[in-house]
Amino acid sequence: MPRTKSRQLIPVDGLAQLSFLIHGLLERRVAEHDLSMIQTRLLGVLRDRRPTMQELAQLLSLDKSSVTGLVDRAEGRGLVVRIPSEADRRVVRVGLTGVGRALASDVASQFEGDVAIVLGRLPRTDRAALAKVVSRLLVADADARGVDLFATLDETAP
Amino acid sequence: MPRTKSRQLIPVDGLAQLSFLIHGLLERRVAEHDLSMIQTRLLGVLRDRRPTMQELAQLLSLDKSSVTGLVDRAEGRGLVVRIPSEADRRVVRVGLTGVGRALASDVASQFEGDVAIVLGRLPRTDRAALAKVVSRLLVADADARGVDLFATLDETAP
DNA sequence: TATTGTTATACTCTATAACTATA
DNA sequence: TATAGTTATAGAGTATAACAATA
């Protein structure tokens, strides 16, 4: 008897589908710029940071050796630069080039447009309701994990 | 002045973040079973089909040569089997083994639990609102692309 | 000839282990 | 000795092009 009702109250499938829809939107969009998801995340992370290779590994949840290759390829395309640290000559910092920053901006605004189109198919009141609940959900999740919500913003939405 | 308001009405960032949250949940969960996302999708697609290699390529949006390798590795792990077609001896169909089916079920139910935990942090009324709006969004999107919603269910929620 | 699937090849992405340079 | 980063190596995942078997 409570079958239909509980499906509505715990919309696991719907949420999963929605997440794959949005993720796929980004994947297809960045592919047009010959970017993989991880290269896109790299650019996103660098928009407001100049991390060391070590820090980059933590930010992207990768091994430091994986970051070496990742940055190699991005640098080869002229999207990022390695900046030797003066304080500690073992350390290398990574920053966006102008080209890299422009590409990151392009991708971000195009992706926002893609998501806006999908959202635009909903009536205004539904969009408002969605915004409210999604923001509550994100806050509740960040709370539950003791995480600063804004610290992860640009990693997830490059 | 309408800045805050329009952010709420077009929750692009929030939706993107949410989608990465859910996607990451699945990624971490399947990694515990030594599954990549594409291997997980393969198992998901096979839960109610025995497609040819060609059909598999279309279902997963991969080149047929990529599917050869994908199926090779899954078959090597005993998760799927190649079944020679009797009608056309060029054709190979792919199906789940018992082990593959059990793994797919495990992963699906664990992932549902993960999503349910996140949703459980919302008050009941918010969950109901989210369920309603998300389902409308998915229907609207499927409509807009002239796609049968249920045909893609198990690809996105393995 | 056309189609199905595999193979050969090349590149990205990833990790582990060993290495170099610096601290 | 310990740390930061790279290199060597191996394997998954992907695509393009060439191929074999079948239709």
Side-chain angles (χ1 to χ4, degrees), chain A residues 18-92:
Chain A
L18 175 59
S19 114
F20 280 83
L21 171 64
I22 303 293
H23 196 272
L25 242 40
L26 180 58
E27 207 157 30
R28 265 171 271 134
R29 180 56 81 180
V30 305
E32 289 177 4
H33 298 273
D34 283 303
L35 287 174
S36 63
M37 288 296 275
I38 187 62
Q39 288 285 346
T40 305
R41 284 185 66 205
L42 173 62
L43 298 187
V45 157
L46 295 180
R47 289 187 86 177
D48 61 356
R49 291 180 190 83
R50 282 194 165 180
T52 67
M53 296 293 283
Q54 183 91 345
E55 288 163 351
L56 214 37
Q58 289 163 353
L59 287 166
L60 300 174
S61 301
L62 291 176
D63 187 85
K64 54 183 179 170
S65 65
S66 304
V67 176
T68 295
L70 201 64
V71 170
D72 280 350
R73 292 183 289 273
E75 199 172 24
R77 284 178 62 175
L79 303 178
V80 308
V81 279
R82 280 177 165 91
I83 305 153
S85 166
E86 295 173 2
D88 184 336
R89 284 181 14 216
R90 293 172 301 180
V91 169
V92 176

Side-chain angles (χ1 to χ4, degrees), chain A residues 20 24 27-28, chain B residues 36-74 80 94 96 151-158:
Chain A
F20 280 83
E27 207 157 30
R28 265 171 271 134
Chain B
S36 63
M37 289 295 276
I38 187 62
Q39 288 285 346
T40 304
R41 283 185 66 204
L42 172 63
L43 299 187
V45 158
L46 295 180
R47 286 186 88 178
D48 61 354
R49 291 182 191 84
R50 283 194 164 180
T52 66
M53 296 293 282
Q54 182 91 340
E55 288 164 351
L56 214 36
Q58 290 164 351
L59 288 165
L60 300 174
S61 301
L62 291 175
D63 187 85
K64 56 184 178 168
S65 65
S66 305
V67 175
T68 295
L70 200 66
V71 169
D72 280 351
R73 293 182 291 273
V80 308
V94 182
L96 286 179
T152 65
L153 263 174
D154 46 0
E155 288 173 62
T156 54

